[in-house]
Amino acid sequence: MVPAAPAASALRAARRRDRRVYTHSHPVLFALLAATRRRAVTRIGGAVLVHDTEPYRQALTRIPLDRTAAGTTGGAARELSSGGTLFDQEGTGHRATRRAVADDLGAVGVERLRPVWLDVLTRRLAPLGAGRDVDLVPLARELAGATVRALLRTTGDPEDIAAAAAVRDHLPGPRPPGAARAAAAATARLEALLAPASGEATEPALRAMLAVAAVNTTVAALPRAAAWCADARLWEQAADDRLRPALVGELLRVTAPSPLLPRVAADDAELGGCPVQAGGRLILVARHAARAHDRLPDARHPAPLAVAQLVFGAGTHACPGARLARAQLDDTLAALAPHRPTVLRARVDRGAALPGWRSLTVRAADARRSSENR
């Protein structure tokens, strides 16, 4: 039996809830992006905002970018280390580092890691079957921390790893005075937690930045995707092995865990008719490039892969963890689907750099009906 298509009203309700992670945590930024999104490329002060799909892709694949500039992902990595962390590299150095992590993030590596997060899902979601509530944010934190521990073959406690990696100042963007010092201290704690168990040659800074990227995007994405399924009544699709892979792609597209990619041009260029000067700041709006703002998720008619995958970037610097992210969300939805959970309470994380929930409490549909009938 083919799962029924979700009602448009349910999809709109899901979108309204998801918008809260932007409007409650980054209201000024969200308002600015919403006000300018009808223009493919536009200049605001000293920055060029890139909203449309093709200019976004061109900015990542055709314009030389300064990978070490302050306020960018590579710049954040460079500030906290001596460099060489994949995020701040170009050319042969980047290719060599990317190859060093490819095995662990490829198909074989993901299958090696899968039992780790399946164990977390089984244990953390067991209360749903007993009619109890579950907060999906702590689940996502443990899942992310346990995966990082296994990925980097270390012995640190998963929740300690997740807490250290979630420090906001690890991520690109403007920082208040004194933040760099605090971020350096946090990175030292994270590197200590990620010390290899034995014989691991990966640079400490690279290990720390991989952990930061994995933890923050996972904790942002998984609860938001689950809320979409609950509010839009997508659990039948999540339970369908044929539809779930497409649903995963669509949910990652509409949640866009890293909605903005700050970059700096390394040379003069032009985007969508807008001149870009060397040293000029680019704000690449992944959320809009992937059409998250105006195309609702549809597992039967998903967005083209070339559009959906833009939430992971594009070109040689695209996120190497895309396969891992898809596998984790696929297994999370498969584990939740039998319970058909509904959202009881949701609280926005106002202190996180990536839009997400501070808590998202769910209850199995049967348990909720039973409670209401008492």
Side-chain angles (χ1 to χ4, degrees):
M1 182 176 178
V2 178
S9 59
L11 286 166
R12 289 194 295 269
R15 169 175 279 172
R16 283 195 299 272
R17 186 195 297 276
D18 194 63
R19 279 170 58 96
R20 287 172 50 198
V21 301
Y22 298 98
T23 59
H24 287 46
S25 63
H26 300 77
V28 175
L29 177 60
F30 184 80
L32 173 64
L33 296 180
T36 60
R37 71 187 179 202
R38 295 188 185 280
R39 300 187 64 179
V41 182
T42 188
R43 181 179 298 279
I44 301 291
V48 174
L49 275 64
V50 182
H51 295 279
D52 213 29
T53 302
E54 284 311 309
Y56 173 95
R57 184 182 289 111
Q58 291 168 11
L60 290 172
T61 59
R62 297 185 186 177
I63 293 182
L65 298 174
D66 183 348
R67 300 288 172 185
T68 65
T72 67
T73 307
R78 182 62 62 98
E79 287 178 16
L80 305 177
S81 69
S82 58
T85 65
L86 181 69
F87 304 93
D88 62 344
Q89 292 176 310
E90 279 283 16
T92 56
H94 176 265
R95 288 192 293 272
T97 306
R98 196 175 180 96
R99 282 195 298 271
V101 301
D103 289 345
D104 286 332
L105 295 174
V108 174
V110 167
E111 286 307 308
R112 177 182 75 83
L113 296 170
R114 177 170 260 123
V116 173
W117 69 70
L118 287 177
D119 175 71
V120 175
L121 289 169
T122 299
R123 177 167 36 81
R124 285 276 191 169
L125 294 179
L128 286 178
R132 298 197 299 274
D133 303 344
V134 170
D135 186 344
L136 296 182
V137 175
L139 177 153
R141 279 199 298 264
E142 184 184 352
L143 185 150
T147 301
V148 165
R149 180 174 68 174
L151 171 67
L152 299 179
R153 299 174 177 84
T154 187
T155 58
D157 178 79
E159 299 205 31
D160 288 344
I161 291 171
V167 173
R168 181 169 185 162
D169 292 320
H170 283 139
L171 298 168
R175 297 173 181 173
R181 192 182 312 111
T187 299
R189 291 195 298 272
L190 181 59
E191 289 182 358
L193 286 167
L194 298 177
S198 62
E200 179 58 57
T202 310
E203 288 292 331
L206 174 58
R207 295 163 68 84
M209 289 306 295
L210 287 172
V212 168
V215 167
N216 285 279
T217 53
T218 300
V219 174
L222 294 190
R224 286 179 63 193
W228 264 97
C229 284
D231 293 336
R233 301 169 193 168
L234 298 172
W235 291 124
E236 286 189 24
Q237 294 185 10
D240 189 318
D241 293 342
R242 298 163 300 171
L243 281 178
R244 191 170 57 253
L247 178 63
V248 165
E250 284 290 271
L251 290 173
L252 287 171
R253 179 181 65 80
V254 297
T255 56
S258 296
L260 303 179
L261 304 182
R263 298 292 187 265
V264 170
D267 205 346
D268 292 345
E270 183 179 291
L271 276 176
C274 182
V276 177
Q277 296 180 334
R281 296 204 166 271
L282 303 174
I283 306 299
L284 310 182
V285 189
R287 181 174 185 271
H288 294 166
R291 316 314 302 174
H293 64 298
D294 62 4
R295 179 167 179 163
L296 291 165
D298 186 344
R300 291 181 181 77
H301 303 94
L305 182 59
V307 173
Q309 68 185 8
L310 291 178
V311 297
F312 296 106
T316 57
H317 286 267
C319 174
R323 184 190 297 272
L324 178 66
R326 293 188 183 101
Q328 288 181 327
L329 181 54
D330 190 294
D331 286 340
T332 299
L333 297 183
L336 284 166
H339 303 287
R340 305 296 197 269
T342 57
V343 177
L344 297 182
R345 295 177 298 278
R347 187 157 56 109
V348 171
D349 190 342
R350 298 173 186 268
L354 300 183
W357 299 108
R358 186 175 181 83
S359 64
L360 186 88
T361 304
V362 299
R363 181 181 297 172
D366 288 344
R368 183 166 186 171
R369 283 194 295 270
S370 175
S371 176
E372 290 171 351
N373 291 333
R374 287 173 189 165

